[in-house]
Amino acid sequence: HVQLVESGGGSVQIGGSLTLACAASRGFDDADAEWGWFRQAPGKEREGVACIDDDGLTTYADSVQGRFTISKDHAKNTLYLQMNMLKPEDTAMYYCARATRPRPERRLRPEVYNYWGQGTQVTVS
């Protein structure tokens, strides 16, 4: 079982930056692991934001491409999401999650991830 704990959320002005972190209890070095960030705004479905596999291959949602950067620190068992040029539409609860070798076309699909954190709120205004 993998436990994930997010941190770093908060309130920020339009155009500002935040860095989210997700600490994993285990499995960070698994060769078949895929790590992702998702978000869910009130009344909306959960959507994939960014993901990264064991080789460091990243995928981003079109809405955040060029503004967000996903990365991981194996020494700290921690996943990060650097968010720049934040917009009001980025306001949501952000979750980190782990999947096992999802098909490439499904890497940002929430249903393929089986471990989830509790989330951290990001508010942009």
Side-chain angles (χ1 to χ4, degrees), residues 88-125:
E89 51 264 44
D90 295 318
T91 295
M93 185 72 77
Y94 282 72
Y95 301 88
C96 66
R98 183 195 186 278
T100 302
R101 204 185 295 281
R103 295 175 61 174
E105 68 274 17
R106 297 181 63 80
R107 292 178 68 206
L108 282 178
R109 298 298 303 171
E111 59 266 30
V112 306
Y113 287 75
N114 47 10
Y115 295 106
W116 292 86
Q118 293 300 306
T120 185
Q121 177 68 36
V122 172
T123 303
V124 185
S125 61

Side-chain angles (χ1 to χ4, degrees), residues 10-18 83-88 90 122-125:
S11 296
V12 64
Q13 292 184 335
I14 296 171
S17 298
L18 277 177
M83 305 185 294
N84 299 324
M85 295 182 289
L86 283 162
K87 305 175 181 180
D90 295 318
V122 172
T123 303
V124 185
S125 61

